[in-house]
């Protein structure tokens, strides 16, 4: 029962007009466990949402989600759970709400859904390139996501350096920065091989730059053969004077690709 007290200063103090203290007067944010989630597309996932205490007035504690919307009006926690997470839309606006009286509080889950590419394939315009000519490397990535986290890493391995792959270039996609779903992407890179690149292997990788650490999915390597003009190692143009009947021995060598044929011309 409400009670009003009149003081000598004609100040009215009204006590208990609204009964006991309730959540209607303050709205705590729901507690998420875990608050962030990294889930592979098609895998199970779950997040719990709770409040510290049960309100004395009517309330609803529930989930906003494309795939599942559980709620409760008599418990202090509610679990969001799916056997297979296949809704890319859940990565945006996914959260738990607590409604009591006219107030509603919301806590959002930082959810990242990722999908391994179905395939990463590297090809070239030609497996054989003439020194100094350009050739195009083509990296095809199928059904990988989210597109906003995708980049491509280019690597090469030199047989003269133990065939160890080293990273030499990256390709990013500013046009996909807000893309939450999976994408198909074909990326091209132009290279101009020299004779030192003969036998070099190239490789591309789809990289998902996720919050914890990058996920890297690599293509099979391809090998580039470089054709270049022969270089005569010996002998250089020279004049040799011999006595009659003296034997002449000449070593002739040259390097080129394809391997050159050699002949001697005496004048």
């Amino acid at each position: 029962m409400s009670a009003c007290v009149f003081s000598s200063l004609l100040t009215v103090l009204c006590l208990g007009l609204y009964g006991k203290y309730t959540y209607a007067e303050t709205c705590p944010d729901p507690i998420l466990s875990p608050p962030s989630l990294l889930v592979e597309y098609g895998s199970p996932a779950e997040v719990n949402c709770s409040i510290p205490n049960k309100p004395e007035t009517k309330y609803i504690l529930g989930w906003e989600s494309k795939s599942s919307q559980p709620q409760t009006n008599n418990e202090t926690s509610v679990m969001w759970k799916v056997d297979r997470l296949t809704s890319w839309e859940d990565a945006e606006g996914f959260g738990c709400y607590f409604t009591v009286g006219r107030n509603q509080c919301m806590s959002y889950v930082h959810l990242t859904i990722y999908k391994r590419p179905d395939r990463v394939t590297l090809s070239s315009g030609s497996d054989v390139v003439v020194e100094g000519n350009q050739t195009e490397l083509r990296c095809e990535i199928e059904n990988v996501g989210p597109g906003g986290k995708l980049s491509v890493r280019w690597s090469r391995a030199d047989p003269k350096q133990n065939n160890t792959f080293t990273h030499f270039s990256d390709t990013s996609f500013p046009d996909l920065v807000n893309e939450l779903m999976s994408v198909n992407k074909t990326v091209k890179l132009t290279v101009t091989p020299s004779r030192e690149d003969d036998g070099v292997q190239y490789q591309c990788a789809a990289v998902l730059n996720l919050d914890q650490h990058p996920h890297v999915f690599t293509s099979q390597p391809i090998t580039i053969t470089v054709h270049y003009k022969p270089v005569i190692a010996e002998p250089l143009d020279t004049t040799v004077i011999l006595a009659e009947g003296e034997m002449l021995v000449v070593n002739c060598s040259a390097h080129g690709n394809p391997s050159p044929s050699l002949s001697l011309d005496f004048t």
Side-chain angles (χ1 to χ4, degrees):
M1 178 177 179
S2 302
C4 292
V5 179
F6 292 83
S7 72
S8 60
L9 297 178
L10 299 180
T11 301
V12 181
L13 301 176
C14 294
L15 306 176
L17 291 179
Y18 297 99
K20 295 183 178 180
Y21 178 84
T22 70
Y23 276 111
E25 296 164 340
T26 182
C27 184
D29 291 335
I31 302 167
L32 302 175
S33 180
S36 62
L37 205 58
L38 175 66
V39 184
E40 184 171 0
Y41 185 89
S43 296
E46 62 181 46
V47 185
N48 188 59
C49 177
S50 63
I51 52 176
N53 301 294
K54 184 182 293 187
E56 296 187 6
T57 56
K58 291 183 178 180
Y59 71 95
I60 298 176
L61 181 66
W63 285 94
E64 285 188 2
S65 163
K66 299 293 183 182
S67 54
S68 178
Q69 302 85 32
Q71 62 179 38
T72 182
N73 58 11
N74 57 11
E75 301 291 340
T76 58
S77 67
V78 59
M79 179 75 75
W80 175 90
K81 183 176 182 179
V82 293
D83 294 330
R84 294 183 70 251
L85 184 54
T86 56
S87 173
W88 290 101
E89 291 83 0
D90 270 326
E92 189 173 36
F94 170 46
C96 178
Y97 61 87
F98 175 42
T99 302
V100 56
R102 295 181 179 179
N103 293 343
Q104 184 177 79
C105 298
M106 193 84 188
S107 293
Y108 290 97
V109 180
H110 182 63
L111 172 63
T112 301
I113 306 169
Y114 75 94
K115 184 186 179 302
R116 301 167 183 266
D118 293 343
R119 186 175 303 165
V120 180
T121 307
L122 179 62
S123 59
S124 65
S126 174
D127 293 335
V128 179
V129 185
V130 176
E131 180 182 29
N133 289 356
Q134 292 184 335
T135 190
E136 186 177 78
L137 305 179
R138 180 185 177 96
C139 187
E140 297 181 75
I141 305 168
E142 298 179 20
N143 198 18
V144 63
K149 301 288 187 179
L150 177 65
S151 64
V152 173
R153 180 182 299 172
W154 300 90
S155 304
R156 50 173 279 160
D158 192 331
K160 297 183 287 295
Q161 298 178 0
N162 300 321
N163 280 321
T164 300
F165 277 94
T166 56
H167 165 219
F168 72 92
S169 184
D170 291 288
T171 304
S172 58
F173 309 104
D175 57 314
L176 296 179
V177 66
N178 295 317
E179 182 58 68
L180 297 175
M181 302 178 70
S182 60
V183 296
N184 297 317
K185 203 70 179 176
T186 298
V187 189
K188 299 175 182 178
L189 182 70
T190 300
V191 295
T192 307
S194 66
R195 64 185 60 205
E196 288 76 18
D197 296 319
D198 184 40
V200 163
Q201 291 185 312
Y202 287 92
Q203 199 172 59
C204 71
V207 181
L208 289 176
N209 302 284
L210 304 174
D211 296 333
Q212 284 83 349
H213 53 82
H215 285 44
V216 182
F217 309 96
T218 307
S219 72
Q220 290 295 316
I222 61 171
T223 302
I224 298 295
T225 299
V226 181
H227 282 182
Y228 52 90
K229 296 179 180 180
V231 175
I232 298 175
E234 58 178 349
L236 301 177
D237 291 341
T238 185
T239 299
V240 178
I241 301 175
L242 297 174
E244 184 177 356
E246 188 176 353
M247 181 181 294
L248 173 64
V249 178
V250 178
N251 291 320
C252 184
S253 64
H255 304 288
N257 193 22
S259 296
S261 59
L262 303 175
S263 63
L264 293 175
D265 183 20
F266 295 95
T267 58

